[in-house]
């Protein structure tokens, strides 16, 4: 059944000069039909570089919005417009404006997991793959990082700059405790522990690597170890196992399950392509300043 729908999706993608981008947390059948799977940074770069007329984005709203910011002349479709990110909703433009007034002259480093309107108020964006490089690229001695306090604290541990926090977090990464990791380590001695930088700093301190989702795939591929404990959203099991079929991946907590990342089905993708529905647009007065912040980030990564 999946094969049949996947075939129809591939045919429609060709017919409409479209490409399908999927985040590493997406369901397996979506990853299998995608042209490209990756972390937030890789997906932004792909969205900026592609010649395709249409981008079908399988992820959550802020990811499709970032693609629309980068490619205003392309049609960006999100098969389920209600797929959001609870962390992105933890900072509003109004609240950020107030904080900026309290910290005059302090650059704002905004995680891509944020709305376009929040990006528009920011100096530069970052992802989990480049947060330290982005903060270090700035001349200022102090920065404000929004909205993820865990990413901010984990970044602060790797830079000399003073980092002001915002009280947001990913509700799924935040539930992983050092006790849960210690238990998993005791049950699987010899396994390396991979954590996502959205985890608590106490958890990241226990990790052999704290990297983005694609960073985890690269780390596992290049490692001589065969067994890994994984501290991130449960969808990561599939791309890790696909990349390293002879290695073992144990999710530390099955409760790290992001419902929004699992909303899109193959049927949604098919319908969205057939009817060209679910378009994500960003008004120009927000897109132009947001683009500056995203482009600055990409320049740091490219440089
Ligand atoms: P990365 O894939 O950029 O590491 O981000 C994880 C995430 O939370 C996306 O929602
Ligand atoms: Fe947002 Fe967390 Fe879901 Fe990623 S896993 S989309 S950060 S809620």
């Amino acid at each position: 059944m999946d094969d049949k729908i996947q075939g129809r999706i591939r045919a429609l993608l060709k017919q409409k000069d479209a490409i399908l981008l999927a985040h590493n947390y997406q369901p397996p059948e979506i990853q299998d039909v995608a042209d490209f799977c990756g972390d937030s940074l890789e997906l932004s770069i792909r969205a900026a570089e592609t010649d395709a007329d249409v981008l079908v984005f399988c992820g959550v709203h802020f990811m499709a919005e970032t693609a629309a910011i980068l490619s205003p002349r392309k049609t960006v479709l999100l098969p389920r417009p209600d797929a959001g990110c609870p962390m992105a909703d933890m900072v509003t433009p109004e609240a950020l404006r107030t904080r900026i007034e309290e910290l005059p002259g302090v650059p704002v480093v905004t995680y891509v997991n944020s709305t376009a309107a929040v990006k528009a108020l920011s100096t530069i964006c970052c992802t989990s793959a480049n947060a330290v490089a982005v903060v270090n690229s700035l001349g200022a001695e102090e920065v404000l990082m929004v909205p993820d306090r865990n990413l901010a604290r984990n970044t602060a541990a790797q830079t000399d700059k003073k980092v002001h926090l915002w009280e947001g977090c990913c509700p799924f990464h935040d539930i992983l405790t050092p006790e849960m990791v210690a238990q998993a380590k005791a049950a699987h001695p010899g396994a390396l522990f991979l954590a996502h930088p959205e985890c608590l700093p106490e958890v990241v301190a226990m990790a052999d690597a704290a990297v983005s989702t694609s960073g985890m795939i690269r780390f596992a591929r290049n490692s001589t170890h065969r067994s890994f404990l994984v501290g991130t959203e449960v969808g990561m099991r599939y791309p890790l196992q696909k990349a390293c079929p002879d290695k073992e991946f144990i999710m530390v907590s099955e409760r790290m399950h992001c419902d929004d990342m699992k909303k899109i089905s193959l049927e949604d993708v098919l319908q969205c392509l057939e009817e060209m529905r679910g378009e994500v647009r960003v008004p120009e007065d927000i897109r132009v300043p947001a683009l500056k912040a995203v482009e600055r980030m990409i320049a740091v990564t490219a440089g």
Side-chain angles (χ1 to χ4, degrees):
M1 181 61 181
D2 278 5
D3 283 6
K4 217 168 150 195
I5 303 185
Q6 282 166 333
R8 285 168 67 194
I9 290 172
R10 292 300 326 158
L12 274 172
L13 287 166
K14 203 169 168 199
Q15 186 189 321
K16 307 218 173 192
D17 188 23
I19 61 161
L20 199 162
L21 302 177
H23 187 265
N24 288 323
Y25 294 157
Q26 285 290 293
E29 62 279 12
I30 300 282
Q31 297 200 30
D32 286 346
V33 78
D35 290 285
F36 178 77
C37 300
D39 65 16
S40 309
L41 179 63
E42 292 169 333
L43 292 172
S44 313
I45 292 172
R46 275 291 164 125
E49 286 176 352
T50 180
D51 293 331
D53 287 339
V54 180
L55 287 173
V56 181
F57 222 105
C58 291
V60 292
H61 193 269
F62 76 80
M63 296 179 172
E65 217 178 34
T66 305
I69 290 168
L70 283 159
S71 310
R73 272 177 284 282
K74 294 187 176 120
T75 304
V76 179
L77 304 177
L78 179 63
R80 280 287 298 263
D82 59 336
C85 168
M87 165 157 46
D89 297 334
M90 292 180 191
V91 52
T92 62
E94 296 73 31
L96 180 55
R97 248 186 229 109
T98 306
R99 191 72 184 119
I100 289 172
E101 275 167 26
E102 289 165 1
L103 295 169
V106 174
V108 181
V109 178
T110 295
Y111 197 24
V112 283
N113 300 36
S114 54
T115 61
V118 164
K119 289 184 176 75
L121 297 174
S122 310
T123 313
I124 189 165
C125 286
C126 74
T127 73
S128 63
N130 62 16
V132 177
V134 163
V135 166
N136 285 339
S137 76
L138 298 167
E141 289 312 307
E142 294 181 31
V143 301
L144 167 63
M145 286 188 80
V146 298
D148 186 357
R149 62 165 146 72
N150 292 338
L151 180 69
R153 286 169 65 201
N154 290 322
T155 305
Q158 296 178 68
T159 169
D160 294 334
K161 309 211 186 240
K162 180 178 164 110
V163 179
H164 298 273
L165 311 182
W166 188 273
E167 271 305 320
C169 68
C170 166
F172 310 105
H173 285 87
D174 204 53
I175 57 173
L176 190 63
T177 63
E179 292 73 26
M180 288 154 85
V181 177
Q183 242 180 29
K185 283 188 174 203
H188 302 277
L192 295 185
F193 172 48
L194 309 178
H196 193 274
E198 289 176 13
C199 291
L200 292 167
E202 298 81 349
V203 165
V204 163
M206 299 169 82
D208 295 287
V211 284
S212 76
T213 55
S214 291
M216 289 183 181
I217 298 173
R218 283 189 289 274
F219 186 93
R221 226 187 232 134
N222 296 334
S223 171
T224 52
H225 276 72
R226 312 210 63 74
S227 188
F228 301 87
L229 295 165
V230 184
T232 194
E233 207 275 338
V234 292
M236 262 322 278
R237 182 191 283 114
Y238 182 70
L240 282 165
Q241 203 66 74
K242 198 171 171 178
C244 309
D246 54 342
K247 298 190 178 182
E248 179 190 29
F249 298 97
I250 304 133
M251 306 312 288
V252 180
S253 170
E254 295 293 333
R255 283 169 51 218
M256 295 171 80
H257 180 282
C258 175
D259 294 341
D260 284 273
M261 274 288 179
K262 307 290 180 266
K263 275 190 176 152
I264 298 174
S265 67
L266 284 176
E267 287 78 6
D268 292 326
V269 178
L270 183 62
Q271 251 185 42
C272 136
L273 269 164
E274 278 171 348
E275 297 164 21
M276 293 299 279
R277 65 165 172 75
E279 184 167 1
V280 174
R281 286 176 167 275
V282 181
E284 277 302 285
D285 60 328
I286 290 177
R287 191 189 71 80
V288 173
L291 177 65
K292 277 199 187 121
V294 175
E295 281 185 336
R296 277 192 195 119
M297 168 187 84
I298 291 177
V300 169
T301 309

